[in-house]
Amino acid sequence: MSSPIVLIIGCGVAGPVMALFLKRKGYRPIVFEKVQALGDAGASLMLMPNGMKVLGLLDSHISSALQSEFQTLTGYWHGTSTGEALADSTLPATFPSKYTQPALGIKRTYLNLRLKNMLLDDGIEVREGWELTRIEEKSDSVIATFSNNCSATGSFLIGCDGIKAASRRAMLEMQGIHEGAPTFTGLVQMAGISQTPVSALGPRGSSMCNWYGQGVHAIAYPVSRTHTSWAVTLPEGQEMQETWLVAGKAELEERRTMLDKRLGGEFEPAVLELVRVAERILAFGLFDRVELDSDQWFSRRCVLVGDAAHPTSPHLGQGANQALEDCYHLNQLIPTLVPDCAGYKESLSKIESGLFKIFRVYAETRQPRTAKLVKEARRLGEQRVVVAGPELCRKRNASIAAAWADPGAVAQGFDQLLREPF
Ligand SMILES: Cc1cc2nc3c(=O)[nH]c(=O)nc-3n(C[C@H](O)[C@H](O)[C@H](O)COP(=O)(O)OP(=O)(O)OC[C@H]3O[C@@H](n4cnc5c(N)ncnc54)[C@H](O)[C@@H]3O)c2cc1C
């Protein structure tokens, strides 16, 4: 008897991880990715111990490979735009002993390609250039249709297609809901990876640094011994589409000049230097979406995972980590199938009848936590950037210093986040 086919939409973070888990449980996942050839994909990500723990379950090598390729985070530094410290913490240095995994700044492309290669090594089919357009649920199967006019039939479908998920749109439409485009948060980011300005940053070079200015925020963290990933967030009235296209030389210089003008005179030299030496500067709008109720995360044969279920603005650095937590929980609920065993047929029919319940328990477990974090990310974005004028900035800075003043309370706050999902 052949293994049940699981259609997985999206080969970003959640898609390949779900596929790898399910293959090991006796299913036949097929991953569909709209991009023709996965490659250069944005700048970087901060993987936290909660996400790293899930990656570690796939194979101990991925976690050690990430740690040898990238740089473990050892501190958090918060300061004014001119470099006056508001808070300085070595908490991340304790993560490996406390949570078995570090916080790690990584290049997004590296993670995407590594996960894709793990799929290929495990014999999992990856169909690139397949963009989901439609889903049709039957009593015994689900049919996905793609923009190349091809379709695929599976036992169930997992939508891991990110903030603009077509799986989410199709599932909501099945429930009679027509959702619009993602909501522009009114903030844009310009980001790059630059050679670390060692003398200007000093010991802060291995920390995540946040600089708070007047209506502008900058963040930087190491992604290797020599390089630092950075991003500047600014308010912007006009919606800027999310794009990871790398700017040409003229556009790069235009962005550099604009940032230099905007930050010069207010920001300390380390930030200006990061912008000055960047080999490329990405620019994109920040979006999120209206929160879904847990019963909107699934249907009879489809379920959403990661950004497709709970898209977030990036200010908390938890989007990918929460996508990984989703994978862990959904995988825990899906039963293992042992081929060639006497009860195989029976376990298959159990899955058929139990799918809806599995999806419901997963969604009810995950929705409250992710909804809270999406709201917190939105709040942080506003605190960082929307504050303008000296008095409001002074108050904002005082509240940041107060939030970090008690190391025990800070550690407890992080513990709520990082002790999950196991
Ligand atoms: C600037 C920025 C910085 C961030 N920094 C962090 C961070 O430091 N830490 C963190 O944890 N998170 C961060 N995030 C969030 C994080 O990137 C996302 O939460 C995470 O990538 C979600 O994973 P996912 O698998 O759900 O979706 P994605 O990684 O977005 O993957 C979705 C995949 O689906 C594909 N796809 C889309 N539509 C279709 C379709 N119709 N058919 C087939 N395939 C499709 C896409 O091409 C993509 O490959 C950041 C986000 C941004 C924008």
Side-chain angles (χ1 to χ4, degrees), residues 9-16 32-35 38 44-48 108 112 130-133 146 160-167 189 208 221 242 244 284-286 305-308 312-314 316-323:
I9 313 300
C11 194
V13 178
F32 299 90
E33 168 56 51
K34 77 170 178 187
V35 170
L38 287 166
S44 64
L45 273 180
M46 178 56 68
L47 283 176
M48 298 295 282
R108 194 181 280 262
N112 286 356
W130 285 57
E131 179 176 4
L132 179 81
T133 53
F146 299 86
C160 306
D161 41 346
I163 188 163
K164 292 182 181 164
S167 59
Q189 269 192 356
M208 176 183 274
Y221 55 81
E242 168 205 359
W244 302 110
F284 43 89
L286 299 180
V305 167
D307 272 10
T312 179
S313 56
L316 200 60
Q318 271 292 314
N321 293 291
Q322 289 305 312

Side-chain angles (χ1 to χ4, degrees), residues 7-33:
L7 309 177
I8 296 189
I9 313 300
C11 194
V13 178
V17 172
M18 262 334 294
L20 288 159
F21 277 145
L22 291 183
K23 173 80 193 291
R24 286 159 204 194
K25 283 202 149 165
Y27 297 79
R28 189 186 148 204
I30 306 176
V31 180
F32 299 90
E33 168 56 51

Side-chain angles (χ1 to χ4, degrees), residues 121-138:
D121 290 348
D122 263 25
I124 297 171
E125 206 179 324
V126 182
R127 298 191 191 166
E128 286 169 280
W130 285 57
E131 179 176 4
L132 179 81
T133 53
R134 217 160 68 83
I135 298 174
E136 194 186 344
E137 282 189 334
K138 303 273 189 195

Side-chain angles (χ1 to χ4, degrees), residues 183-188 236 285-288 313-315 378 382 386:
T183 318
F184 179 52
T185 60
L187 303 177
V188 296
E236 168 66 60
L286 299 180
F287 293 80
D288 62 12
S313 56
H315 308 289
R378 220 173 280 155
E382 282 164 17
V386 184

